[in-house]
Amino acid sequence: MDLIDRLLQYDKELMISINSKWDNPVLDFVCQHIRETYFWAPLYLFFITLAVINFGKKGWLWVLAAIATVALTDQVSSNLIKNNIIRLRPCRDQEIAHQIRFFINYCPGSSSFTSSHATNHFGITTFIVATLRPYLGNPILWLFLASAAVCYAQVYVGVHYPIDVICGATIGTAIGYGMSRIFNNKIGLPTL
């Protein structure tokens, strides 16, 4: 067994542990919800409102840049990567599907690699932190924990492997950082 095969086997074993061995009734409930858009919509609406009210025209440009960041992370993960790297999701993988607990209404047919949830959440989190941290301080860093919770939930509910979310988070962070650099250098928010 070569290195990549061993890594993929460990990935499957870790997925089964997270999903079926490290289970908890509270996580069973919470993980179904924290991965959904409706759960995070109020938080993102808060940041949009904050930017528009406090920064006027530049706030609207910030909103457009944030939307562009999510659009870019989603396109990279959902179209560029998933269309070229095909990996069965745990809930569709006949080798392990019978060993996992499945928590959501459907098992997506798209490739498991990379997790678009992870890519999108880490992309927008990195953009928000890198552009608003001067105004909101270090407490804004908790957003990374929230994004990590979404990643964990994706594995917990049975739709992704750990490698899918780790790579998605890494790509999202890189895109979010790049977009924040472009925004901060070309537009920027008013200095304190």
Side-chain angles (χ1 to χ4, degrees):
M1 185 181 287
D2 69 358
L3 179 62
I4 291 179
D5 289 336
R6 275 187 296 194
L7 179 63
L8 293 175
Q9 188 59 39
Y10 292 141
D11 192 38
K12 286 183 179 186
E13 291 170 9
L14 181 57
M15 188 277 159
I16 292 168
S17 292
I18 291 170
N19 172 270
S20 299
K21 295 179 182 173
W22 303 340
D23 62 321
N24 174 299
V26 173
L27 288 177
D28 289 355
F29 176 77
V30 170
C31 285
Q32 294 177 61
H33 297 285
I34 64 171
R35 58 179 295 283
E36 297 292 344
T37 304
Y38 67 78
F39 187 88
W40 298 105
L43 178 67
Y44 295 130
L45 185 58
F46 165 78
F47 285 115
I48 289 169
T49 304
L50 179 127
V52 170
I53 289 173
N54 289 293
F55 305 117
K57 180 181 175 188
K58 286 193 174 194
W60 283 109
L61 294 172
W62 182 91
V63 170
L64 291 175
I67 292 169
T69 300
V70 173
L72 184 57
T73 58
D74 194 59
Q75 289 303 307
V76 167
S77 179
S78 297
N79 291 325
L80 181 65
I81 297 173
K82 285 185 180 188
N83 287 340
N84 291 295
I85 301 175
I86 306 302
R87 183 181 194 196
L88 287 177
R89 290 177 182 265
C91 49
R92 293 197 180 271
D93 186 341
Q94 295 304 314
E95 182 183 331
I96 67 164
H98 64 284
Q99 299 176 58
I100 65 170
R101 300 171 318 133
F102 188 63
F103 289 95
I104 58 177
N105 294 334
Y106 71 98
C107 181
S110 60
S111 176
S112 187
F113 187 85
T114 59
S115 166
S116 295
H117 278 75
T119 309
N120 295 342
H121 278 276
F122 269 89
I124 193 61
T125 290
T126 303
F127 177 81
I128 290 170
V129 168
T131 55
L132 294 180
R133 189 172 176 194
Y135 308 95
L136 300 176
N138 287 337
I140 198 170
L141 295 173
W142 74 269
L143 285 175
F144 285 110
L145 288 176
S147 293
V150 171
C151 292
Y152 188 85
Q154 288 294 90
V155 177
Y156 193 91
V157 300
V159 295
H160 281 291
Y161 295 98
I163 287 176
D164 303 337
V165 297
I166 290 167
C167 291
T170 303
I171 291 165
T173 299
I175 292 170
Y177 178 74
M179 291 296 287
S180 70
R181 293 283 301 202
I182 292 168
F183 178 82
N184 286 337
N185 289 335
K186 299 291 183 188
I187 300 166
L189 296 172
T191 56
L192 295 174

